[in-house]
């Protein structure tokens, strides 16, 4: 499994060779073939690990099918800094994250996972610990707007454009599609 971390790096998850069979993750620079920039052993679990990276906050979330936990790290250059883990005894059958534009900033969410369990879909909010109720642009940078950046006929004609982003500031209308402000990337 892999996910992009920025423009030139990817993160892979898998298991080590040999008797230990440790689950691990590795960071690679796609411009430099060779050994990984960083290799980190996670645990001895048996399920496949999946990773989700939030470019705006540099947070990396790692969870495995059959696991009851989701670990999260801050990515800085080529380092993984373990922050914490959400833990439960109920194993997950599937896991994904909602788009940033649907977060509840009033509850200080920075990410929200949706975890599929045997008989339920469970929302898991990840919140920042800051006490201020004021909007904080450093942890809520502009996010993908969820709208096309160019009309389909232009794209079919060969034109390309960067993704459309929108402010997450509630004062700018974040959280309502009718007032969503689309900003240039």
């Amino acid at each position: 499994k892999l996910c992009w971390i920025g423009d030139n790096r990817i993160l892979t998850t898998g298991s080590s060779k040999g008797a230990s069979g440790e689950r691990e993750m590795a960071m690679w620079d796609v411009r430099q073939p060779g050994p990984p920039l960083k290799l980190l052993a996670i645990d001895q679990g048996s399920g496949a690990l999946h990773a989700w990276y939030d470019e705006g906050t540099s947070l990396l979330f790692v969870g495995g099918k059959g696991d009851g936990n989701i670990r999260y790290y801050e990515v800085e250059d080529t380092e993984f800094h373990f922050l914490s883990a959400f833990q439960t005894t109920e194993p997950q059958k599937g896991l994904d994250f909602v788009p940033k534009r649907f977060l509840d900033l009033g509850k200080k969410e920075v990410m929200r996972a949706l975890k599929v369990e045997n008989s339920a879909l469970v929302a898991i909010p990840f919140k920042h610990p800051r006490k201020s109720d004021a909007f904080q642009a450093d942890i809520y940078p502009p996010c993908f707007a969820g709208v096309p950046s160019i009309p389909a006929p232009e794209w079919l004609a060969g034109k390309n454009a960067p993704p459309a982003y929108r402010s997450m500031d509630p004062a700018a209308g974040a959280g309502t599609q009718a007032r969503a402000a689309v900003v240039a990337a």
Side-chain angles (χ1 to χ4, degrees):
K1 312 290 182 209
L2 69 87
C3 72
W4 285 95
I5 300 178
D7 292 333
N8 299 308
R9 294 175 296 161
I10 58 172
L11 176 106
T12 59
T13 60
S15 296
S16 63
K17 294 180 180 179
S20 68
E22 286 183 311
R23 295 191 300 182
E24 57 189 23
M25 61 184 182
M27 184 186 302
W28 308 82
D29 187 327
V30 296
R31 301 165 299 176
Q32 300 174 355
L37 301 172
K38 181 73 174 183
L39 182 65
L40 180 66
I42 305 285
D43 62 19
Q44 297 273 321
S46 60
L49 288 173
H50 298 270
W52 295 265
Y53 180 69
D54 177 37
E55 194 166 354
T57 59
S58 299
L59 293 178
L60 174 68
F61 296 83
V62 180
K65 188 173 181 182
D67 287 353
N69 57 21
I70 303 165
R71 295 170 183 87
Y72 45 110
Y73 303 80
E74 182 176 19
V75 177
E76 186 177 34
D77 297 320
T78 59
E79 296 297 319
F80 304 115
H81 302 287
F82 179 77
L83 298 175
S84 190
F86 168 82
Q87 297 179 328
T88 180
T89 57
E90 186 70 32
Q92 54 217 22
K93 292 180 152 259
L95 182 70
D96 208 348
F97 288 82
V98 301
K100 300 275 287 196
R101 63 188 181 274
F102 297 119
L103 297 178
D104 188 341
L105 278 57
K107 293 183 179 176
K108 302 181 180 185
E109 285 184 334
V110 291
M111 292 289 277
R112 185 184 323 142
L114 294 177
K115 176 183 169 189
V116 179
E117 296 178 350
N118 279 332
S119 60
L121 178 65
V122 178
I124 303 167
F126 293 90
K127 301 177 181 184
H128 69 79
R130 296 181 185 173
K131 296 187 188 306
S132 173
D133 289 330
F135 177 75
Q136 298 176 37
D138 63 323
I139 56 175
Y140 295 114
C143 67
F144 178 63
V147 297
S149 52
I150 58 173
E154 291 180 28
W155 182 77
L156 290 170
K159 187 175 178 185
N160 205 356
Y165 287 84
R166 62 178 270 176
S167 172
M168 291 189 68
D169 186 348
T176 61
Q177 286 187 324
R179 298 182 295 156
V182 177
V183 296

